[in-house]
């Protein structure tokens, strides 16, 4: 990524003076507003203090990159925008010539990262948005990698859990917009490892696989309708049982939930014994870090109408 390449864009040192036009102090040092053309072809225009870039300035590299922002004793420090040769850019805080603090990075593929930085690395809390899919990772970063508690949000579902080395790991859950949650665990099974893979385990990174354990459905709230009182001249038991407003209309009951090796079945039954079965084939979820997608054998959960 381009955000890792700025270390190669070193600015001219304080002893490489080059040509200078601008204000000086009594000691002859560059001091105040000035413009310099450096021996390596870079240019700087902005504030100086005692011979060093200090304050607001614009530094243009000969390769097309440029920095617009604050300096402190010749180093990028404070608020600033760095535009890289490939067109990507960083807008945010700097400290000791490094991205440090809060900032936004705009990548050339239109992805964005907004959050904390430490010593040039994404570190702390941040949100990465994948432009191609609209998915986004919201959570913890460590040394530039997605690591710790986070939420991966997609267009019609989301995953909540922990990440390690850019991959989901351990217990978590998928929350679907249709109104259900699938709980499970990302783990590397011993069955997934061959003898050769075990020998090369140190050099090979295994991708955790999703194993579902259960599905829970969000309870639907139904308003209770008060019954109208019977007329005084109507004897108990004479009302039409089939037309009574308070009769049994086949109340839906959440049935048994089967969960085995990632295939989940959700059964909804009624008083007449009718049932609706929805199969969830979620065992083969795969996490695609490049696009921020989760793929599966079945991308959509089928919705069935509950019986009247």
């Amino acid at each position: 990524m381009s955000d890792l390449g700025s270390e190669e864009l070193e600015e001219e040192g304080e002893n490489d003076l080059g040509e200078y036009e601008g204000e000086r102090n009594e000691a002859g040092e560059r001091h105040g507003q000035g413009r310099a053309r450096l021996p390596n072809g870079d240019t700087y225009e902005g504030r100086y203090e005692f011979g060093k870039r200090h304050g607001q300035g614009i530094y243009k590299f000969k390769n097309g990159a440029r920095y617009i922002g604050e300096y402190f004793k010749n180093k990028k420090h404070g608020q600033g925008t760095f535009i890289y040769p490939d067109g990507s850019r960083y807008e945010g805080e700097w400290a000791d010539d490094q991205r440090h603090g809060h900032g936004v990075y705009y990548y050339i593929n239109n992805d964005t990262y907004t959050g904390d930085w430490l010593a040039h690395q994404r570190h702390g809390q941040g949100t990465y948005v994948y432009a191609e899919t609209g998915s986004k990772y919201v959570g913890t970063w460590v040394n530039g990698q997605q690591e710790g508690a986070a939420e991966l949000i997609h267009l019609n579902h989301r995953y909540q859990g922990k990440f390690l080395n850019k991959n989901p790991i351990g217990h978590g859950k998928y929350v679907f917009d249709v109104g259900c949650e699938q709980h499970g665990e990302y783990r590397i099974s011993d069955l997934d490892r061959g003898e050769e893979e075990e020998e090369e385990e140190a050099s090979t990174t295994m991708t955790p696989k999703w194993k579902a354990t259960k599905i829970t459905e969000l309870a639907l709230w139904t308003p209770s309708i008060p019954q109208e009182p019977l007329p005084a001249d109507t004897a108990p038991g004479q009302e039409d049982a089939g037309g009574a407003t308070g009769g049994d209309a086949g109340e839906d009951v959440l049935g048994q939930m089967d969960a085995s090796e990632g295939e989940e079945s959700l059964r909804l039954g009624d008083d007449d014994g009718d049932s609706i079965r929805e199969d969830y084939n979620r065992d083969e979820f795969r996490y695609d870090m490049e696009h921020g997608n989760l793929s599966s054998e079945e991308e959509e959960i089928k919705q069935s109408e509950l019986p009247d």
Side-chain angles (χ1 to χ4, degrees):
M1 292 186 229
S2 301
D3 63 335
L4 302 179
S6 65
E7 292 83 352
E8 302 175 359
L9 303 176
E10 296 181 359
E11 299 181 5
E12 198 76 359
E14 58 183 287
N15 296 325
D16 301 319
L17 299 179
E19 302 175 3
Y20 174 76
E21 295 179 2
E23 301 174 334
R24 296 179 181 272
N25 58 15
E26 295 179 356
E29 298 172 314
R30 301 176 181 183
H31 193 90
Q33 188 71 21
R35 179 188 305 168
R37 180 178 296 275
L38 307 173
N40 66 349
D42 296 349
T43 62
Y44 172 79
E45 183 173 357
R47 302 294 300 177
Y48 282 88
E49 188 172 293
F50 301 110
K52 297 180 180 181
R53 294 183 293 272
H54 191 92
Q56 194 72 22
I58 301 175
Y59 191 105
K60 296 181 180 180
F61 296 83
K62 61 182 178 181
N63 62 1
R66 63 187 181 274
Y67 171 79
I68 306 168
E70 297 176 302
Y71 279 90
F72 182 80
K73 294 183 178 179
N74 257 12
K75 293 185 177 181
K76 295 182 287 291
H77 193 96
Q79 290 291 327
T81 298
F82 199 110
I83 302 173
Y84 295 89
D86 60 3
S88 60
R89 75 182 189 274
Y90 170 81
E91 298 177 359
E93 297 178 307
W94 295 78
D96 197 25
D97 247 0
Q98 294 182 323
R99 294 183 295 272
H100 191 99
H102 187 273
V104 182
Y105 199 103
Y106 300 88
Y107 298 87
I108 56 175
N109 62 352
N110 293 323
D111 290 357
T112 60
Y113 170 80
T114 305
D116 298 330
W117 294 80
L118 177 67
H120 258 333
Q121 301 285 341
R122 296 175 296 239
H123 190 93
Q125 292 297 308
T127 298
Y128 192 101
V129 179
Y130 299 87
E132 183 177 355
T133 62
S135 301
K136 59 182 177 180
Y137 172 95
V138 182
T140 309
W141 297 74
V142 176
N143 296 327
Q145 304 297 330
Q146 298 174 353
E147 185 171 324
E151 185 175 31
L152 187 61
I153 304 172
H154 301 283
L155 295 180
N156 60 357
H157 69 281
R158 64 186 62 200
Y159 174 76
Q160 299 171 346
K162 291 185 178 180
F163 287 73
L164 180 64
N165 295 327
K166 301 191 298 184
N167 290 315
I169 193 70
H171 295 281
K173 68 177 180 179
Y174 286 93
V175 181
F176 298 92
D177 290 351
V178 295
C180 67
E181 298 179 352
Q182 186 185 68
H183 301 254
E185 180 182 8
Y186 271 102
R187 65 175 184 264
I188 300 176
S189 172
D190 293 336
L191 299 177
D192 296 333
R193 302 179 181 178
E195 294 181 359
E196 296 181 359
E197 291 176 342
E198 290 180 356
E199 294 176 358
E200 301 177 358
E201 184 176 2
S203 59
T204 304
T205 302
M206 299 290 294
T207 302
K209 292 185 177 180
W210 175 252
K211 300 293 182 182
T213 56
K214 66 178 180 178
I215 285 182
T216 59
E217 185 168 13
L218 302 178
L220 300 179
W221 176 79
T222 0
S224 57
I225 303 176
Q227 299 181 6
E228 296 182 2
L230 295 175
D233 56 349
T234 303
Q238 291 183 355
E239 65 275 8
D240 185 359
T245 58
D248 185 0
E251 181 180 0
D252 293 328
V253 180
L254 184 62
Q256 179 181 1
M257 301 177 188
D258 297 331
S260 59
E261 293 299 317
E263 180 175 286
E264 299 291 341
S265 299
L266 182 61
R267 299 174 181 173
L268 296 176
D270 58 23
D271 290 346
D272 295 330
D274 295 334
S275 64
I276 298 175
R277 180 181 180 90
E278 295 185 358
D279 295 327
Y280 294 85
N281 296 314
R282 295 288 170 184
D283 185 61
E284 295 301 326
F285 273 107
R286 296 182 295 276
Y287 182 68
D288 185 351
M289 283 304 306
E290 182 176 357
H291 299 96
N293 282 330
L294 287 166
S295 59
S296 67
E297 298 296 332
E298 186 176 347
E299 287 294 339
E300 297 181 355
I301 295 180
K302 300 178 181 179
Q303 273 189 288
S304 300
E305 292 185 358
L306 298 178
D308 294 332

